[in-house]
Amino acid sequence: MSEAKSELPSQRAAADDLQRYEQLWAEARQVHGVSLGRDAWRRLRRNPSAMLSLTILVVLSILAFLTPALPLQSPRQVETLRSFAEPTSEHFWAPHLQTPSAQAEGTNDEQWAAFWRDVDLKFGKLDAIEKLLLQARVAVFGPYAIGSICGTDELGRDLLSRLFWGARVSLIVGVVATLVSLVIGVSYGAISGYMGGRVDNIMMRLVDVMYSIPFIFVVIFIISILSEDSIKAWLIDHGIDRITIFFFLVGAIYWLTMARVVRGQVISLKHEQFVEAARTLGAGRMRIVFRHLVPNLFSVIIVYLTLTIPRVMLFEAFLSFLGLGVEPPDVSWGLLANEGVRVITPVKIYWWLVVFPGIALGVTLFALNFFGDGLRDALDPKLKNR
Amino acid sequence: MIGFLVRRLGWMIITLWVVFTISFALMRSVPGGPLSSERALEPEIEKNIRARYHLDEPLMKQYLRELGNTLQGDLGYSFKLADFSVNEIIAQGFPISATLGIVALGVALSIGLTAGIVSAIRRQSLIDVTLMSLATVGIALPNFVVAGILIILLVFLWPVFPAAGWGNLSQLVLPGFCLGLPYAAYVARLARTGLLDVLSQDYIRTARAKGLRTPTVILRHALKGAMLPVVSFMGPAIAGILTGSLVVEQIFAIPGLGVHFIQAATQRDYTLAMGLVLLYTTLLYTMNLLVDVSYVYLDPRAKLE
Amino acid sequence: MRSVFPYLALAGLLGAIGWAVSFGTLPPADFSFCNESEIKTIDPAIVTGQPEGRVIRGLFEGLVNWHPEDLHPIPGVADRWTISDDRLTYRFHIRPDAQWSDGSPVTSEDFVYSFRRFLHPATGAEYAYQLHYVRGARDFNHARVKVGESVEIELYKRPENALPDAPGVIVRGRLVDVEPPLPDNNDEPADDHAVEESESEADDIKRTYTVEIDGRMRRFRQREDERAEPSPDGGENYRWLLPDFEEVAIRAPDPATLIIELENPTPYFLTLTGFYPLFPVNRECVETHPFPSWTKPENLVCNGPYILESRRIRDRVRLRKNPYYWDRDNIHFETVDALAIESLTTALNMYLTGQLDYIPQVPATVVPTLLEQDRVDFNPTPYLGTYYYRINTTRPPLDNPLVRRALSRAIDREEIVTRVTRAGQLPGHSFVPPGLAGYEQALCEGYDPEEAKRLLAEAGYPGGRGFPANLEIMYNTHEMHKSIAELIQSQWKRVLGIDVKLQNQEWAAYLSHQRQLQYSVCRAAWIGDYPDPNTFLDMFVSDGANNQTGWGNAEYDRLIEAAAREAEPEARMALLHDAEEILMDELPIIPVYYYVSTFMVKPYVEGFYPNIQDVHPLQGMRIDTDKKRLAIESLR
């Protein structure tokens, strides 16, 4: 009995402990169950401006993708009789396409042939998906298109339609080129910064060397070289056009900045305790860099990303200005902004040619920035589980 | 420190040589040459001109000749501005671009840092949203659009500034502002992010716990750490600002280097283009070096390696 | 240290601004104009552009001047001249009061020196062909020596007391033998590329020339290095071996007389002597200061109405009145500024705010508004230039004249000039623009969609079916070229049903592709050098340097050649007209419109006249100060 007596308090204490540990364990399990991504999404949802921006970006991307299916006029059909027409609500919903109908002459096949000829005239060569979307458009909207509510440009082309078709080019240019630069830049910078010493030295000197070549020169020269007849024919045979070259050139240029920034951050982070801890636990170098360091850099990376996309888009505009960007009749927002600025003179201001492309660029970049800020906050590991 | 600088200087020379070689190769392989003109020349006349500029020699010989001249500090005469040597063109244009650049830099740092700090402290407030929206506008609008609008407003509607030209301080304001604005926007965003990161660090909590007032905490302790991203952005950006901007210089008729930069490339002015590339490289390299040195100053954990 | 640093930076910043601005302030000139781009040089011999011309006309003066209203030749450095009945010999009398800006007289020797320098291969003058009308000038310029003829050899040895940049010792003699022999120099090579190749090969051959000098045979052989010793195989080293300049028919029998003999009667030769490449330079100045330092303001000696006061690259060239100019009483501006402003909008802004008195061009988008405003200072004037499309006739299907005609007839030129250019340009149906006295243009047929379709069908592409899809319109970066190309692209699509792409090129690549025939269709323009159809039509002789279409026609070549020899003006014009008929029938080029000059000049500038070549001599121009004051007040 005495034994039992003597054991009693300690048993009780152990049971208490067990209960407490179980409780803690349950809590911990609960906490652990939230992954970084899900946690971030939870916090992102609570940020109204970020959600609004996200909505804008998603809607914009969908609209850009669906452009051929929207009831818009031709982005390239020249109608000089209405050049520099002011925005108007007249003919707000007017027939624009030559769609087959029961009243028209000719058999159905002939009508469809005529329709595709008309489409070719108004939209140029389309790929399979675009054709499908166009057929969907005819099915839903018939021959109708929205009038020139944003006015027309010098050659009488509908600005609204050009904005939509331009969005396709500009968004793809911005996103793809930036992603290229992101992937190269982050891995390069993180590795260089973490390795330190000789490796870092050589890697960063290499960046310095490349950085020191004025890239405007390189872009001008490379694009000129690639437009030589023989080289161009070869590239076209391999399905590479100017825009593709542009992605890689720009990506190859902007990664340098990214690499430097990431390296700087890694250097200041790598003496932190959590890195030491990971190392003590035997984590490999690559695991430390990509599992532990890079997530800590998300805030900086994302801010840079939201800064780089607009820069790429503006750089595309600058190249258009030099005659090396998108080739007409294709359009991009940069091209439209350039055309708009040309008509701001003290003598006459065709305001709609500046204002609408400006709004399009502005809204997109606004959304990108606020979404980037929201994402930054959401992804910050220091704020995790709060 | 000395050893570090010496090593970097060695790298700089290698960099310059690599840049020289790449530029030389690119320029000679691009279609068109410095002698292209709208009126095609008779072959005999063209031969005379090519001989005059040594363009008839084998490429390797031209390369060695130019490299030798460059090493002696002689960048040669410009092809398209034949009355001037490249050294003269740079000597005339660089101070102008640099002056404009310094004004723009002043604009960028003063507006950018103020906006960045204010919006970081007042995070998620109205003022934060407003300032960051303005910064976004600064980034989103190409500076030729900003310049066009400012000219209409401040030259024609309310005539306070001259339309264009170079010579006095009033002609410096509009171009300086237009050139600096996008940079100000970048600085604002980077400063805000950097400051927010730092403010959640332990040493700031310590400083606050010591009972220091908020302005002291921010100016004394936080700002230094928050400057890292700004500094690494501004280093290369300064080189760009100092060597001029094509758009702003063209719109405001400023005789800086920015216009030379693009025109030398598109007109294949071999010598001038090479001179400008080397100038740009030197500046950029120096700026990046300064960035690395300032990392040590701003962040005690980083070491010069 | 740390606390001082910001203040130091601030002080440095302000100091730098102050320093850079301090040397920038210049009082405004009496007359300021926009000179578009920065000039290449002020050496009259080696420039070709309009902006250079404007400055050089202020600094130098040729034998004749051009009348500001209609550009007919009026006395310049020559106060009178006579032309022989066969129109081959020109005798100029140099006015006695013509002086250089250092006070020394301008003599006919100065012209002989300047023309020699202009033609010398070492100068590399692009416009040298403007003097090829002179007997013997072409051979001298091309350094084409012939056995049995007189040659001159410039040695590396320098004459005693020579000026720093003077040529070496020149010896003259008769060329006796060349080893290995010279290739046959047919004047018109059959194939451009083949000849270029063989010539570059020929360059590597070092020849030995045997020349009889003062009865003694001397052998000459050029070596890589000027300091090279004569090699054992014989031959002295030399710098240049050229036909004897004495054989070039430019002579100065006395300081006041200059005699020039031409190969063919060239009706526009007198006008050409007032064209800026043929302006004289001062020998002492040029030879004392090696190029380019003689062009510096402190060194330059010139003979025009103005002297060079200062230059700031890409900013301005400032001219000051030349006190030694013979017609100084007719010069009303003490200072003139030529500003290098490339942006048309900027130039317009500066004009409207009163910083400029004359701008040569306004942005195309403001033209309709300016015309609506009915301004006194905006009157677009016909300009001697044609905007046209070159067609690469070596590329199928463009080698087929039917296709070219179809393309031409499918272009609605009226739509282009009324909707895009909009400054009152006339639709172009000929290569030679209107306005040349005595010349009747040969016109191509105009816009006719049905006929265009029929022609294309006849060529084998009914409705555009089967037409190659890789056709491109190439143009250099410019908004106007882009708009016109887009419009023509859509017109061809609309009328002919063919797809052409657009290809934008920056300037140097554009020129290079054009010259190597690496294009299908490309935008081009030609501005006449002198008011005569020949400046347009002689471009398209087979293998002409400016042809660049791969097109050639023997009959066309014959007509141009015959016109050059024809002394009778009417018959000559008829020959040129016949040549243009062929051009407009075969259409290796498709004319689009004739240029208009859209300059603006302040109403208070007097003595300024619009004219067909857009040349505005500063002589006689003046500013009505009362009007100017009123204009400035109205701006405020």
Side-chain angles (χ1 to χ4, degrees):
Chain A
M1 284 301 280
S2 63
E3 276 175 280
K5 259 182 193 171
S6 62
E7 273 176 22
L8 205 65
S10 67
Q11 267 180 348
R12 199 177 294 140
D16 272 3
D17 274 357
L18 196 68
Q19 207 177 359
R20 215 168 64 229
Y21 284 140
E22 264 172 3
Q23 214 173 347
L24 268 176
W25 172 238
E27 266 178 44
R29 208 165 39 194
Q30 218 177 354
V31 169
H32 209 78
V34 185
S35 78
L36 181 68
R38 205 184 300 168
D39 184 50
W41 172 239
R42 187 171 57 81
R43 266 175 296 136
L44 193 66
R45 262 191 325 213
R46 285 195 301 219
N47 183 341
S49 66
M51 286 315 287
L52 181 68
S53 303
L54 181 64
T55 319
I56 291 176
L57 289 175
V58 169
V59 169
L60 203 72
S61 313
I62 293 175
L63 283 182
F65 177 73
L66 290 181
T67 298
L70 301 178
L72 294 168
Q73 299 177 41
S74 155
R76 56 170 74 184
Q77 194 186 23
V78 173
E79 241 179 273
T80 52
L81 276 175
R82 52 169 207 178
S83 69
F84 292 127
E86 284 196 33
T88 167
S89 55
E90 264 180 72
H91 310 294
F92 181 74
W93 190 246
H96 180 68
L97 289 175
Q98 221 179 310
T99 47
S101 67
Q103 291 84 28
E105 283 174 34
T107 65
N108 202 33
D109 282 356
E110 278 169 8
Q111 285 193 12
W112 275 106
F115 166 74
W116 285 115
R117 268 203 304 283
D118 184 45
V119 165
D120 187 36
L121 195 68
K122 289 186 166 112
F123 297 94
K125 292 261 172 291
L126 299 176
D127 61 34
I129 300 174
E130 287 168 335
K131 278 189 178 161
L132 215 64
L133 288 169
L134 199 79
Q135 275 167 322
R137 167 191 171 162
V138 172
V140 178
F141 302 105
Y144 289 90
I146 299 174
S148 297
I149 51 169
C150 291
T152 65
D153 71 357
E154 181 180 17
L155 294 177
R157 291 170 299 200
D158 178 47
L159 185 61
L160 181 70
S161 164
R162 283 171 77 73
L163 281 172
F164 271 93
W165 286 86
R168 290 165 72 89
V169 174
S170 285
L171 291 179
I172 290 179
V173 164
V175 172
V176 175
T178 307
L179 284 181
V180 171
S181 78
L182 181 80
V183 171
I184 311 177
V186 170
S187 5
Y188 194 96
I191 292 173
S192 170
Y194 182 73
M195 294 298 214
R198 188 167 294 248
V199 178
D200 175 43
N201 204 16
I202 289 176
M203 283 177 89
M204 285 331 278
R205 292 304 76 73
L206 210 65
V207 168
D208 282 354
V209 170
M210 285 198 267
Y211 218 112
S212 308
I213 304 170
F215 65 88
I216 294 269
F217 268 52
V218 177
V219 172
I220 291 176
F221 288 153
I222 289 185
I223 290 183
S224 289
I225 292 172
L226 296 182
S227 68
E228 281 285 86
D229 264 12
S230 50
I231 302 176
K232 196 173 174 183
W234 186 87
L235 288 175
I236 287 172
D237 284 347
H238 290 72
I240 303 168
D241 56 7
R242 221 187 223 191
I243 288 289
T244 320
I245 296 167
F246 182 84
F247 291 152
F248 285 97
L249 270 180
V250 171
I253 289 157
Y254 281 99
W255 75 263
L256 297 169
T257 315
M258 184 65 84
R260 283 189 71 90
V261 171
V262 167
R263 170 186 171 267
Q265 290 288 315
V266 168
I267 287 183
S268 70
L269 280 180
K270 74 175 178 186
H271 301 295
E272 294 270 341
Q273 282 164 354
F274 71 92
V275 180
E276 300 290 346
R279 201 177 293 136
T280 324
L281 287 173
R285 280 180 176 173
M286 287 302 124
R287 190 181 160 81
I288 293 178
V289 169
F290 288 100
R291 280 295 297 196
H292 299 276
L293 283 174
V294 169
N296 272 285
L297 301 174
F298 268 136
S299 60
V300 175
I301 292 172
I302 280 164
V303 171
Y304 258 88
L305 204 63
T306 55
L307 291 177
T308 306
I309 293 178
R311 278 172 80 184
V312 172
M313 286 162 112
L314 293 180
F315 184 60
E316 189 273 324
F318 180 65
L319 279 189
S320 303
F321 173 77
L322 292 180
L324 299 167
V326 173
E327 288 177 322
D330 289 340
V331 280
S332 70
W333 285 349
L335 198 86
L336 291 176
N338 259 326
E339 284 179 359
V341 163
R342 205 166 51 93
V343 293
I344 314 184
T345 59
V347 176
K348 177 93 186 177
I349 301 171
Y350 299 103
W351 55 269
W352 57 96
L353 292 180
V354 183
V355 169
F356 293 119
I359 289 178
L361 263 174
V363 166
T364 311
L365 302 184
F366 251 73
L368 267 172
N369 274 313
F370 282 110
F371 178 62
D373 282 354
L375 208 56
R376 188 202 85 89
D377 294 347
L379 285 172
D380 193 342
K382 295 187 207 91
L383 298 174
K384 201 179 166 195
N385 295 332
R386 273 187 215 158
Chain B
M1 181 77 180
I2 302 282
F4 168 78
L5 287 179
V6 169
R7 264 201 310 281
R8 276 306 188 85
L9 202 69
W11 272 103
M12 178 159 153
I13 290 166
I14 295 173
T15 309
L16 281 171
W17 174 72
V18 171
V19 168
F20 180 91
T21 309
I22 292 178
S23 311
F24 186 89
L26 273 178
M27 278 194 282
R28 306 290 153 142
S29 47
V30 134
L35 303 180
S36 309
S37 69
E38 189 159 24
R39 281 141 211 262
L41 305 174
E42 293 180 41
E44 288 89 350
I45 298 181
E46 189 174 347
K47 210 175 80 188
N48 294 340
I49 304 177
R50 292 182 73 84
R52 184 180 153 156
Y53 289 107
H54 303 292
L55 291 176
D56 50 351
E57 294 174 350
L59 274 182
M60 200 57 207
K61 197 170 164 192
Q62 289 186 42
Y63 174 76
L64 292 176
R65 172 198 298 280
E66 275 203 26
L67 190 61
N69 287 343
T70 307
L71 283 178
Q72 290 163 23
D74 173 18
L75 295 168
Y77 281 88
S78 161
F79 280 91
K80 297 288 172 181
L81 306 169
D83 290 349
F84 298 97
S85 70
V86 174
N87 289 340
E88 281 173 311
I89 294 173
I90 291 177
Q92 271 201 31
F94 185 61
I96 293 171
S97 281
T99 309
L100 182 61
I102 289 168
V103 174
L105 211 59
V107 170
L109 286 179
S110 52
I111 298 182
L113 282 183
T114 315
I117 293 169
V118 169
S119 77
I121 298 170
R122 299 254 177 276
R123 190 176 170 195
Q124 308 274 327
S125 72
L126 185 67
I127 189 162
D128 174 26
V129 175
T130 318
L131 283 174
M132 283 305 113
S133 305
L134 283 177
T136 313
V137 172
I139 297 172
L141 286 184
N143 52 11
F144 48 87
V145 175
V146 177
I149 293 167
L150 284 182
I151 287 177
I152 298 291
L153 291 179
L154 296 180
V155 175
F156 288 95
L157 293 179
W158 183 40
V160 281
F161 293 112
W166 182 255
N168 53 44
L169 280 173
S170 66
Q171 285 170 326
L172 212 59
V173 179
L174 284 184
F177 185 76
C178 289
L179 186 56
L181 192 65
Y183 293 100
Y186 283 109
V187 170
R189 293 194 61 84
L190 290 172
R192 175 178 181 272
T193 317
L195 202 53
L196 284 181
D197 273 355
V198 169
L199 285 179
S200 63
Q201 299 269 349
D202 291 342
Y203 71 93
I204 297 296
R205 254 181 264 161
T206 315
R208 278 190 207 275
K210 275 199 311 191
L212 292 178
R213 289 180 308 127
T214 312
T216 323
V217 172
I218 288 175
L219 292 177
R220 271 277 163 76
H221 300 275
L223 201 52
K224 222 168 89 178
M227 288 301 282
L228 279 175
V230 177
V231 165
S232 55
F233 168 76
M234 282 315 278
I238 286 173
I241 294 182
L242 292 185
T243 44
S245 143
L246 168 79
V247 175
V248 169
E249 287 183 9
Q250 212 164 50
I251 291 176
F252 292 99
I254 290 167
L257 289 179
V259 180
H260 289 305
F261 223 74
I262 301 302
Q263 290 201 344
T266 55
Q267 298 181 341
R268 313 283 188 264
D269 191 337
Y270 291 162
T271 41
L272 181 57
M274 185 62 86
L276 292 170
V277 169
L278 294 180
L279 172 76
Y280 181 86
T281 303
T282 315
L283 267 175
L284 213 123
Y285 202 92
T286 318
M287 287 303 159
N288 279 339
L289 185 61
L290 286 181
V291 169
D292 286 353
V293 172
S294 60
Y295 261 45
V296 178
Y297 168 75
L298 292 171
D299 185 350
R301 289 166 301 179
K303 287 191 258 335
L304 287 180
E305 286 168 74
Chain C
M1 167 66 197
R2 211 189 272 179
S3 55
V4 183
F5 185 73
Y7 298 103
L8 275 181
L10 192 71
L13 202 145
L14 290 176
I17 295 176
W19 168 69
V21 170
S22 65
F23 63 84
T25 327
L26 275 176
D30 294 346
F31 179 71
S32 302
F33 67 95
C34 163
N35 197 26
E36 301 171 298
S37 55
E38 173 65 31
I39 59 173
K40 181 177 174 187
T41 165
I42 51 173
D43 181 348
I46 56 178
V47 298
T48 49
Q50 268 272 48
E52 287 84 356
R54 292 194 197 103
V55 171
I56 289 171
R57 283 182 183 286
L59 290 172
F60 296 93
E61 184 174 62
L63 290 165
V64 302
N65 279 333
W66 293 348
H67 191 277
E69 283 179 64
D70 59 4
L71 304 176
H72 75 265
I74 54 171
V77 174
D79 57 356
R80 57 182 190 273
W81 53 84
T82 53
I83 304 171
S84 66
D85 289 340
D86 59 4
R87 299 178 165 273
L88 291 178
T89 309
Y90 286 69
R91 176 185 283 265
F92 293 93
H93 182 265
I94 309 292
R95 68 173 66 245
D97 51 351
Q99 285 175 313
W100 293 101
S101 56
D102 61 356
S104 60
V106 179
T107 66
S108 52
E109 273 301 329
D110 287 320
F111 281 94
V112 176
Y113 168 76
S114 304
F115 289 167
R116 182 192 152 89
R117 175 175 176 274
F118 180 52
L119 289 170
H120 199 290
T123 309
E126 287 184 32
Y127 259 140
Y129 64 90
Q130 301 289 18
L131 214 52
H132 285 178
Y133 306 105
V134 177
R135 192 152 48 73
R138 180 195 288 258
D139 284 346
F140 183 78
N141 182 231
H142 294 174
R144 210 175 271 165
V145 292
K146 293 194 186 92
V147 173
E149 290 188 355
S150 173
V151 293
E152 58 171 60
I153 302 118
E154 186 189 329
L155 305 175
Y156 281 109
K157 196 175 88 181
R158 301 167 56 76
E160 276 174 49
N161 305 325
L163 293 169
D165 206 33
V169 171
I170 292 175
V171 292
R172 299 196 148 78
R174 196 173 60 85
L175 185 62
V176 180
D177 185 42
V178 181
E179 192 57 46
L182 292 165
D184 283 342
N185 267 322
N186 295 330
D187 269 351
E188 296 302 332
D191 184 333
D192 223 10
H193 296 285
V195 167
E196 265 172 34
E197 275 164 32
S198 72
E199 265 179 9
S200 61
E201 273 169 34
D203 276 346
D204 297 335
I205 306 171
K206 291 289 172 208
R207 293 194 166 81
T208 308
Y209 297 85
T210 312
V211 183
E212 181 188 344
I213 298 165
D214 302 330
R216 203 163 63 87
M217 292 296 177
R218 281 167 71 175
R219 281 152 63 80
F220 295 93
R221 192 177 163 84
Q222 195 169 30
R223 260 164 285 273
E224 297 278 314
D225 186 7
E226 62 174 281
R227 289 175 299 274
E229 293 295 314
S231 54
D233 61 320
E236 304 167 54
N237 201 1
Y238 69 93
R239 189 186 274 177
W240 289 101
L241 190 141
L242 302 171
D244 194 349
F245 192 72
E246 306 277 316
E247 302 292 312
V248 181
I250 301 170
R251 286 192 310 280
D254 64 70
T257 311
L258 182 74
I259 300 171
I260 298 176
E261 285 172 42
L262 305 184
E263 198 111 21
N264 292 309
T266 310
Y268 44 87
F269 184 74
L270 189 64
T271 305
L272 274 183
T273 60
F275 187 34
Y276 60 81
L278 272 61
F279 286 1
V281 291
N282 185 290
R283 176 173 197 160
E284 199 190 320
C285 167
V286 171
E287 294 191 345
T288 311
H289 312 281
F291 182 83
S293 76
W294 70 267
T295 62
K296 303 283 178 218
E298 61 272 22
N299 298 333
L300 183 72
V301 176
C302 54
N303 73 329
Y306 292 89
I307 55 173
L308 186 62
E309 181 167 283
S310 64
R311 269 185 84 174
R312 285 209 320 230
I313 305 166
R314 288 214 201 276
D315 182 27
R316 69 188 67 198
V317 178
R318 168 154 294 196
L319 308 177
R320 182 168 288 281
K321 188 173 173 178
N322 176 1
Y324 291 101
Y325 182 57
W326 61 271
D327 197 15
R328 50 193 168 266
D329 297 340
N330 200 23
I331 302 302
H332 305 288
F333 304 132
E334 186 55 37
T335 50
V336 173
D337 267 354
L339 273 75
I341 301 162
E342 307 225 344
S343 155
L344 295 181
T345 310
T346 306
L348 179 70
N349 290 344
M350 292 176 82
Y351 175 84
L352 292 176
T353 51
Q355 282 174 281
L356 294 172
D357 301 309
Y358 159 58
I359 52 174
Q361 211 186 338
V362 296
T365 44
V366 306
V367 167
T369 322
L370 289 175
L371 286 174
E372 272 167 34
Q373 289 175 350
D374 211 16
R375 299 173 69 109
V376 284
D377 55 350
F378 184 66
N379 299 294
T381 313
Y383 183 33
L384 192 65
T386 305
Y387 190 103
Y388 63 97
Y389 271 28
R390 269 202 172 94
I391 296 183
N392 184 349
T393 60
T394 61
R395 245 183 219 187
L398 300 173
D399 53 347
N400 185 347
L402 287 172
V403 173
R404 302 201 295 263
R405 266 175 232 151
L407 291 177
S408 169
R409 302 207 73 172
I411 294 179
D412 185 354
R413 298 167 176 84
E414 199 67 44
E415 188 180 10
I416 294 170
V417 297
T418 51
R419 297 291 159 190
V420 181
T421 64
R422 301 192 296 180
Q425 285 90 345
L426 290 173
H429 292 99
S430 67
F431 186 46
V432 180
L436 293 174
Y439 182 72
E440 190 205 334
Q441 300 152 283
L443 303 180
C444 66
E445 282 159 302
Y447 177 59
D448 184 343
E450 290 315 310
E451 182 63 13
K453 276 181 202 141
R454 196 193 64 72
L455 283 166
L456 197 68
E458 196 185 326
Y461 308 101
R465 278 189 290 282
F467 199 81
N470 60 354
L471 224 59
E472 285 182 325
I473 300 178
M474 181 176 84
Y475 59 94
N476 57 304
T477 310
H478 191 283
E479 285 302 326
M480 179 70 90
H481 303 333
K482 188 181 106 194
S483 300
I484 291 174
E486 285 180 307
L487 185 49
I488 287 181
Q489 178 191 39
S490 85
Q491 287 175 351
W492 282 349
K493 177 89 190 170
R494 196 170 66 205
V495 175
L496 302 174
I498 57 171
D499 277 302
V500 289
K501 298 197 187 98
L502 299 188
Q503 190 191 15
N504 188 354
Q505 294 276 356
E506 33 97 20
W507 183 241
Y510 157 81
L511 292 176
S512 153
H513 288 165
Q514 214 174 139
R515 296 186 67 179
Q516 296 168 11
L517 292 181
Q518 288 197 4
Y519 69 91
S520 310
V521 176
C522 99
R523 162 273 148 188
W526 191 255
I527 309 294
D529 288 330
Y530 45 89
D532 189 277
N534 190 62
T535 181
F536 290 89
L537 295 174
D538 75 349
M539 281 167 69
F540 289 98
V541 295
S542 313
D543 298 311
N546 279 309
N547 184 321
Q548 300 176 4
T549 60
W551 179 80
N553 181 303
E555 176 64 8
Y556 184 86
D557 298 352
R558 193 193 63 76
L559 287 167
I560 297 293
E561 180 81 17
R565 297 191 197 287
E566 180 61 59
E568 179 55 45
E570 273 178 35
R572 185 175 158 272
M573 289 301 191
L575 288 167
L576 289 172
H577 173 88
D578 291 347
E580 196 179 15
E581 288 272 348
I582 297 175
L583 195 67
M584 286 299 101
D585 182 54
E586 293 258 317
L587 291 167
I589 53 151
I590 300 177
V592 178
Y593 68 82
Y594 307 121
Y595 271 94
V596 154
S597 148
T598 55
F599 66 92
M600 284 182 97
V601 64
K602 292 281 183 190
Y604 52 71
V605 178
E606 293 178 354
F608 186 103
Y609 305 96
N611 57 48
I612 192 169
Q613 278 187 272
D614 207 17
V615 168
H616 307 286
L618 291 165
Q619 288 95 326
M621 226 186 262
R622 70 160 84 214
I623 279 178
D624 186 323
T625 40
D626 291 339
K627 273 197 199 167
K628 180 168 183 175
R629 208 176 44 243
L630 285 176
I632 289 171
E633 276 163 18
S634 76
L635 266 181
R636 300 233 177 277

